[in-house]
Amino acid sequence: MSTTAAPVDGASQEDLTRLAERWEERPSLRSWLSTVDHKKIGRRYLVTAGLFFALAGISALVMRTQLARPESRLLSPQEYNQLFTMHGTAMIFLFATPMLFGFGNFLVPLMIGSRDMAFPKLNALGYWIFLFAGLFMWASLPFGAAPNGGWFAYVPLTGEQNNPGLHIDVYTLGLLFLGIATTAASINFIVTALKLRAPGMSLNRVPLFVWAIVATAFMVIFALPALNVDNAMLFLDRRFSTHFFDPQAAGNVLLWQHLFWIFGHPDVYIIVMPALGIVSAVLPAFTRRGVVGYALVVLSIVSIAIISFGVWVHHMFATGLPQLSYSFFSAASTVITIPSGIQIFAWLATMLLGRVVLRVPLLFLIGFIVTFVLGGLTGAMFALTAFDQQVTDSYFVVAHFHYVLIGGAVFPMLAGAYYWLPKITGRMYHERLGRWAFWLVFAGMHVTFFPMHLYGLFGMPRRVYTYRGEPGWGGWNLVSTAGSYLLALGLLLVLAGMVHAIRRGRPAPPDPWGGDSLEWSTDSPPKAYNFPVLPLVHSVHPTWDDATRSSMGADATADRILADGRRTLFTSELDGRRERAAEMPEPSLQPLLLALGLLVFFTAMLLAWYPVAAVAVLAVAATLAVWLWPPRRPDRELGVSP
């Protein structure tokens, strides 16, 4: 007669064994290549984006060294243009959004009480495309063929006549390739957040980080097509002599800027929005209370996502468009500061009303608020047409967007990295080492970029590889360069702290901070199946809620353990009512093979090997056909429950 072990978090030992058999992947090369586990994919996003960040950071240090003194000859104009372009392109497209999507990949299913993303194979495909697109672009640098027209690639400077060679072709094809991954990830986040939430997690109980990720995903879906069309038209102009941007053939050079900034300004918030979600996720653990004004913060997230699509022309105030049109975009650029301010005041009120515990993640959040507010003040100045026209293409603009993007994205990323490191790795970081890293990063950032406001106002233009000594910019540039090395030292200390934690950190408990969201109710790191029992959510702070915690206890029912299969629950979009259990896909090599086929296609298009590109299209189509072929058996369903 068989016996069953005592329940563990509501699931018996027999249940846990069956869950492990269906969800865990045996270590092997094939398993590494075929995994669809959202946690492994999330970690890969974080590491890969971190490597691209390091490459972009090294490029920045070389550029700052070039600019430290007047008339420096460390770099030629051609080399500087390539490093300058790859720095901006990598930071925007290969680091910021993928790094934040890496946090989303790891955390969203855990925060909503699911066992995986809605489309695990699509999730794996997105990562492989991101990796190959990044390598596609960075591999051009050693051959002297890297993009060289700035991350904005304005025409006619990037047309074939003014910029021959493969440089801009690498840019256009690389971003088109990468856009597939970004779109796939966005669709996956939207469906996951709408359909895979734990029972009881209605929309008014969704974590603020998940709200931010979903808003970002919708922004990507609406903004990215403009950039894709722009890049496709530029590639066709360069390679097949079309005339989309040629004024002599009824084209329009400003069409590039309109389409680019229709994507480009929402992209600022595509980068910043998940970072703001990180702030709202981290803050409760170190203030011992929920974020003040949950509903207002959600409304501000949605408002920013909508208003951001109406401000793109403030990047074009110096292009000679009709003055009347400027007034509308100036007003929108001012209005968008209101929902951002709501979140700032909500966080300040949370710290004021809570019991603050000053640890490294909170230090980075405080650094974020200080830096982001300063960047926001200069951003509001750009809404004034007259001021914008005075400082356009000066280093004042460079100072502003680094304050916004480093303050608004990198500082929250570092706060999130320290906060979730125990959950991701199962190890605790060294507190003193983390504090030293914070102060070096904070000081280095301000020493680097604050002087740029000054020599920008003194007339130093952007995008120059050297300058003469007479204007008196040399001293301020030397200060900025010294600050850049201080910032790099701080980031190296962050990396050293992460490596130290992974190798020598003490084991992390499931919830070292007293966090309020569901990821802290799992092991550190979580098991392959995330939750032995899918929770029944009763509040917006489920880990602090006795009823939610007890729902994963000994009285849990079989329809929330789902031990018989590789399954998770689908729930209704609005109120989180249980609908059915669906079978999730097994690990597969199809995402890797499809990404490789796309890599061959884009490489062949770059090198004008059009027969090879045609073969690659057929291979991609065949792989997709196998992928989408109906399974032999339908998903097992539990049926709809009230």
Side-chain angles (χ1 to χ4, degrees):
M1 181 177 177
S2 62
T3 60
T4 302
V8 179
D9 287 335
S12 69
Q13 189 59 50
E14 182 180 346
D15 292 332
L16 297 177
T17 301
R18 286 190 294 172
L19 283 169
E21 288 175 352
R22 292 306 305 269
W23 286 91
E24 290 181 359
E25 301 168 359
R26 293 182 177 84
S28 67
L29 177 61
R30 180 184 177 87
S31 172
W32 192 85
L33 295 173
S34 64
T35 185
V36 294
D37 186 338
H38 75 96
K39 298 179 291 300
K40 294 180 180 179
I41 294 170
R43 286 194 292 264
R44 291 179 186 181
Y45 265 108
L46 295 173
V47 171
T48 306
L51 292 174
F52 290 143
F53 175 75
L55 291 173
I58 293 169
S59 301
L61 284 179
V62 176
M63 289 190 295
R64 282 308 327 161
T65 304
Q66 163 75 11
L67 294 171
R69 302 302 300 163
E71 301 184 16
S72 174
R73 301 189 181 277
L74 176 65
L75 296 171
S76 68
Q78 295 76 19
E79 292 168 339
Y80 185 89
N81 284 344
Q82 291 182 51
L83 285 179
F84 162 78
T85 303
M86 282 307 301
H87 166 74
T89 303
M91 285 297 192
I92 296 294
F93 296 106
L94 299 176
F95 162 65
T97 301
M99 177 66 79
L100 292 164
F101 275 15
F103 280 112
N105 262 287
F106 190 94
L107 293 166
V108 166
L110 292 168
M111 283 186 165
I112 65 174
S114 175
R115 286 186 171 148
D116 210 324
M117 299 285 282
F119 307 115
K121 289 165 67 174
L122 187 66
N123 199 27
L125 174 66
Y127 169 74
W128 289 118
I129 291 177
F130 159 58
L131 172 64
F132 293 153
L135 295 176
F136 176 88
M137 299 185 76
W138 276 107
S140 62
L141 188 61
F143 296 100
N148 61 354
W151 79 278
F152 36 78
Y154 284 169
V155 295
L157 297 178
T158 53
E160 179 67 22
Q161 183 177 358
N162 296 315
N163 198 328
L166 297 178
H167 305 280
I168 303 303
D169 296 331
V170 171
Y171 175 91
T172 56
L173 292 173
L175 292 189
L176 285 169
F177 191 14
L178 182 63
I180 300 172
T182 311
T183 303
S186 299
I187 293 170
N188 215 348
F189 281 128
I190 292 169
V191 179
T192 300
L194 288 178
K195 294 302 299 179
L196 267 66
R197 302 195 308 274
M201 185 175 282
S202 53
L203 287 183
N204 61 342
R205 295 172 180 172
V206 172
L208 290 170
F209 176 75
V210 178
W211 271 108
I213 287 287
V214 172
T216 301
F218 274 109
M219 292 169 72
V220 168
I221 296 298
F222 285 100
L224 196 57
L227 180 66
N228 290 338
V229 168
D230 228 9
N231 281 310
M233 290 193 299
L234 181 56
F235 180 75
L236 292 172
D237 273 11
R238 291 175 55 85
R239 188 63 63 89
F240 299 105
S241 300
T242 55
H243 303 286
F244 294 107
F245 305 115
D246 182 4
Q248 296 180 349
N252 191 332
V253 292
L254 284 185
L255 176 60
W256 170 272
Q257 290 194 41
H258 278 294
L259 288 173
F260 184 86
W261 290 117
I262 286 172
F263 159 81
H265 197 83
D267 189 54
V268 174
Y269 294 99
I270 287 169
I271 293 170
V272 169
M273 189 84 78
L276 304 185
I278 290 176
V279 177
S280 295
V282 173
L283 201 56
F286 300 101
T287 57
R288 299 298 188 258
R289 61 154 298 141
V291 173
V292 170
Y294 171 92
L296 283 175
V297 173
V298 171
L299 288 174
S300 73
I301 290 171
V302 176
S303 299
I304 290 171
I306 295 171
I307 300 171
S308 66
F309 283 88
V311 298
W312 82 87
V313 173
H314 85 213
H315 294 273
M316 302 173 63
F317 280 166
T319 57
L321 295 173
Q323 291 291 328
L324 180 62
S325 67
Y326 289 164
S327 61
F328 295 104
F329 290 95
S330 177
S333 301
T334 304
V335 167
I336 201 170
T337 62
I338 296 174
S340 301
I342 288 174
Q343 294 195 58
I344 295 290
F345 284 113
W347 298 323
L348 292 175
T350 303
M351 287 190 281
L352 181 64
L353 298 176
R355 292 179 289 118
V356 173
V357 179
L358 197 61
R359 302 291 294 271
V360 171
L362 187 60
L363 283 175
F364 276 104
L365 293 192
I366 294 171
F368 147 77
I369 292 175
V370 171
T371 308
F372 188 64
V373 167
L374 290 173
L377 290 174
T378 57
M381 295 163 68
F382 286 115
L384 306 175
T385 308
F387 178 82
D388 182 277
Q389 291 176 339
Q390 291 297 313
V391 298
T392 289
D393 285 340
S394 76
Y395 258 84
F396 191 94
V397 181
V398 179
H400 158 69
F401 68 67
H402 279 89
Y403 262 75
V404 170
L405 294 181
I406 294 181
V410 175
F411 274 77
M413 285 182 201
L414 294 175
Y418 280 101
Y419 179 63
W420 284 301
L421 184 72
K423 184 58 58 179
I424 295 172
T425 67
R427 299 284 177 174
M428 299 296 295
Y429 68 84
H430 191 281
E431 182 71 20
R432 184 176 297 178
L433 197 60
R435 288 174 181 257
W436 273 103
F438 163 74
W439 287 112
L440 287 172
V441 170
F442 184 78
M445 187 274 160
H446 288 277
V447 173
T448 301
F449 297 106
F450 187 81
M452 292 183 184
H453 293 98
L454 302 178
Y455 54 83
L457 291 174
F458 297 157
M460 183 170 176
R462 302 169 63 183
R463 309 162 191 155
V464 292
Y465 88 104
T466 191
Y467 53 93
R468 297 179 63 85
E470 289 85 352
W473 303 329
W476 289 115
N477 270 289
L478 184 60
V479 172
S480 286
T481 299
S484 69
Y485 279 90
L486 185 64
L487 176 59
L489 180 61
L491 293 171
L492 280 175
L493 205 57
V494 170
L495 177 62
M498 299 294 171
V499 173
H500 177 272
I502 293 169
R503 295 177 62 89
R504 302 183 60 183
R506 59 185 176 84
D511 185 7
W513 312 120
D516 68 325
S517 46
L518 283 173
E519 76 271 23
W520 299 112
S521 65
T522 65
D523 294 332
S524 296
K527 295 288 194 297
Y529 46 82
N530 290 352
F531 299 91
V533 177
L534 297 178
L536 185 62
V537 176
H538 292 270
S539 75
V540 72
H541 307 293
T543 308
W544 293 349
D545 179 68
D546 291 337
T548 302
R549 289 201 306 271
S550 65
S551 74
M552 296 182 279
D555 295 332
T557 54
D559 62 350
R560 286 191 290 111
I561 298 174
L562 300 176
D564 186 20
R566 189 183 177 95
R567 295 185 290 169
T568 194
L569 279 178
F570 276 44
T571 53
S572 60
E573 294 85 349
L574 297 180
D575 54 4
R577 295 180 63 194
R578 185 193 297 109
E579 290 184 343
R580 65 188 179 93
E583 195 81 12
M584 305 302 284
E586 301 284 344
S588 173
L589 289 173
Q590 292 166 359
L592 173 60
L593 295 175
L594 184 55
L596 284 171
L598 290 169
L599 175 62
V600 172
F601 169 76
F602 282 101
T603 304
M605 291 298 293
L606 175 68
L607 301 176
W609 297 344
Y610 300 123
V612 176
V615 173
V617 169
L618 294 176
V620 167
T623 306
L624 274 175
V626 174
W627 183 331
L628 299 175
W629 197 261
R632 293 182 179 179
R633 56 184 175 82
D635 291 345
R636 281 174 283 187
E637 298 185 5
L638 292 179
V640 178
S641 300

